[in-house]
């Protein structure tokens, strides 16, 4: 007779061994570590990049990652996508929900790497002013090598070119005699005021100013419809720091106008003459933000004539600039220009 009892024990033992060697279907694999695709990164304001998190082990049961930024005013993070907001350095952290394992990336946001820089040079002048002719000669000599890095706008006062905006600006800056200039509406070019005689303008001053970092980026697009004479303008950029008083100014400027100029030989060609202000008021339009990206669009219907002069689209261009409107009466040293751009309309 067979040993049935013995066979039964053998079967049970075999089953137990087989069961013990199998992995349970619902076994939890805990997270043991996390690493990031970058541990340090330098970006510009408005620039973005994506961090990738690698979880150990690769077959961990819960691979959920929580992303945080130590300072969201410098850089933000969402699902690993990092966006530079303002200059400075912050830590971007990835933390596993399982086990609380953390990896970091040091992100430096540098305002000096963002956008083009241009200076706004404004000159108060008049056709009846003999010294203005000499002043403009020096301006043209000093800015000739800078191209569009130095943008010249001529504010005429008391002559046939003059518009109300230029007269109001002249009054605010207390221009008592012309020629008179200002560079980015900042003080200290000569003495401690904003206004200076254009004879004091030097290439070295312009070079030094251009080397300074800008806290606002600006870009400008234009198009012109010959049939309707509509100028379409789009201005966009980023406020790289908080500028609660910053506003956008949009000017229409014209070159190539032959007209009299005291001090010249009678065949003078006027350039850089401000013909119209497309933005609102003396100080411009609100940007809609105090920090971060901005964008504004305009449509301006170009008249056939402005004052006594024909408008010629192929000789005209748009100048846009962002400037503070901190004080609109009294102290005139606070409303500095942060950046400017220029674009022909045709």
């Amino acid at each position: 007779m067979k040993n049935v009892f013995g066979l039964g024990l053998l079967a049970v033992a075999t089953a137990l061994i087989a069961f013990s060697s199998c992995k349970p279907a619902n076994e939890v694999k805990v997270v043991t570590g996390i690493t990031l695709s970058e541990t340090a990164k330098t970006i510009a304001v408005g620039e973005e990049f994506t961090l990738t998190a690698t979880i150990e082990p690769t077959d961990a049961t819960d691979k959920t990652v929580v992303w945080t930024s130590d300072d969201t005013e410098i850089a933000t993070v969402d699902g690993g996508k990092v966006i530079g907001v303002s200059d400075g350095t912050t830590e971007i952290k990835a933390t596993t929900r399982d086990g609380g394992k953390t990896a970091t990336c040091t992100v430096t946001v540098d305002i000096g790497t963002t956008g083009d820089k241009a200076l706004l040079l404004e000159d108060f002048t008049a056709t009846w002013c003999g010294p203005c002719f000499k002043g403009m000669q020096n301006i043209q000599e000093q800015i000739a090598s800078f191209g569009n890095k130095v943008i010249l706008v001529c504010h005429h006062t008391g002559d046939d070119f003059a518009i109300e905006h230029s007269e109001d600006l002249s009054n605010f800056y207390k221009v008592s005699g012309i020629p008179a200039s200002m560079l980015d509406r900042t003080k200290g070019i000569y003495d401690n005021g904003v206004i200076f005689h254009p004879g004091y303008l030097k290439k070295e001053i312009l070079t030094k100013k251009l080397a300074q970092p800008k806290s606002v980026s600006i870009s400008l697009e234009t198009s012109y419809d010959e049939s309707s004479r509509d100028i379409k303008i789009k201005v966009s950029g980023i406020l790289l720091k908080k500028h609660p008083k910053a506003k956008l100014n949009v000017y229409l400027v014209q070159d190539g106008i032959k007209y009299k100029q005291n001090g010249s030989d009678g065949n003078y060609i006027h350039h850089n003459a401000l013909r119209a202000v497309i933005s609102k008021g003396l100080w411009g339009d609100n940007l809609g933000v105090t920090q971060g990206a901005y964008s504004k669009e305009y449509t301006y219907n170009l008249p056939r004539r402005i004052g006594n002069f024909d408008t010629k689209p192929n000789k005209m261009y748009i100048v846009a600039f962002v400037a503070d409107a901190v004080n609109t009466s009294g102290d005139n040293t606070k409303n500095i220009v942060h950046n400017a751009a220029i674009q022909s309309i045709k």
Side-chain angles (χ1 to χ4, degrees), residues 49-316:
F49 74 101
T50 300
L51 287 167
T52 303
T54 301
I55 306 296
E56 299 173 357
T58 56
D59 59 347
T61 302
D62 184 357
K63 301 173 76 172
T64 304
V65 174
V66 178
W67 296 89
T68 58
S69 170
D70 280 357
D71 192 337
T72 55
E73 291 191 354
I74 294 175
T76 60
V77 61
D78 182 11
K81 185 172 76 171
V82 181
I83 301 176
V85 176
S86 179
D87 66 309
T89 300
T90 187
E91 298 290 332
I92 302 297
K93 294 180 180 178
T95 304
T96 63
R97 185 167 65 182
D98 176 21
K101 305 296 183 183
T102 299
T104 63
C105 176
T106 302
V107 174
T108 300
V109 183
D110 182 5
I111 67 170
T113 62
T114 301
D116 293 329
K117 305 172 188 176
L119 306 177
L120 180 68
L121 175 61
E122 295 169 276
D123 186 58
F124 293 95
T125 186
T127 58
W128 49 262
C129 169
C132 292
F133 174 71
K134 291 293 185 180
M136 183 54 62
Q137 284 183 317
N138 184 64
I139 287 175
Q140 294 293 350
E141 180 182 346
Q142 301 306 317
I143 71 174
S145 62
F146 290 92
N148 287 341
K149 294 295 184 182
V150 179
I151 300 170
L152 175 62
V153 173
C154 292
H155 295 283
H156 282 255
T157 62
D159 66 10
D160 289 340
F161 285 97
I163 63 174
E164 184 178 356
H165 182 89
S166 295
E167 301 285 7
D168 290 344
L169 208 61
S170 174
N171 290 334
F172 176 79
Y173 283 102
K174 297 179 173 59
V175 176
S176 58
I178 55 175
S181 299
M182 52 187 181
L183 183 62
D184 275 349
R185 300 183 182 177
T186 54
K187 63 181 181 179
I189 302 302
Y190 176 77
D191 210 354
N192 202 37
V194 174
I195 297 297
F196 61 93
H197 189 283
Y200 289 110
L201 186 67
K202 303 297 179 186
K203 292 178 184 178
E204 293 77 11
I205 294 173
L206 300 173
T207 300
K208 184 177 180 180
K209 288 280 288 182
L210 281 169
Q212 297 173 358
K214 293 285 188 180
S215 58
V216 173
S217 69
I218 185 169
S219 63
L220 177 59
E221 301 174 28
T222 64
S223 64
Y224 178 68
D225 187 315
E226 291 188 2
S227 59
S228 67
R229 294 182 67 86
D230 281 345
I231 307 171
K232 299 284 188 180
I233 305 157
K234 181 178 180 180
V235 189
S236 58
I238 302 171
L239 302 183
L240 311 176
K241 291 183 176 181
K242 287 185 177 179
H243 290 293
K245 299 293 186 179
K247 293 195 174 189
L248 177 62
N249 299 261
V250 181
Y251 285 178
L252 177 68
V253 183
Q254 185 169 348
D255 279 343
I257 305 174
K258 185 177 180 180
Y259 194 66
K260 61 186 177 182
Q261 174 62 53
N262 192 7
S264 74
D265 61 4
N267 295 307
Y268 193 78
I269 305 296
H270 289 268
H271 298 289
N272 315 100
L274 178 62
R275 305 307 297 125
V277 178
I278 297 171
S279 50
K280 297 290 190 298
L282 188 61
W283 303 110
D285 295 320
N286 291 325
L287 291 168
V289 297
T290 60
Q291 184 174 359
Y294 67 89
S295 180
K296 294 190 77 68
E297 296 185 17
Y298 300 85
T299 298
Y300 177 78
N301 185 255
L302 183 65
R304 299 286 178 179
R305 289 173 68 84
I306 297 177
N308 296 328
F309 303 101
D310 292 338
T311 57
K312 298 181 179 181
N314 63 335
K315 298 289 186 180
M316 305 187 84

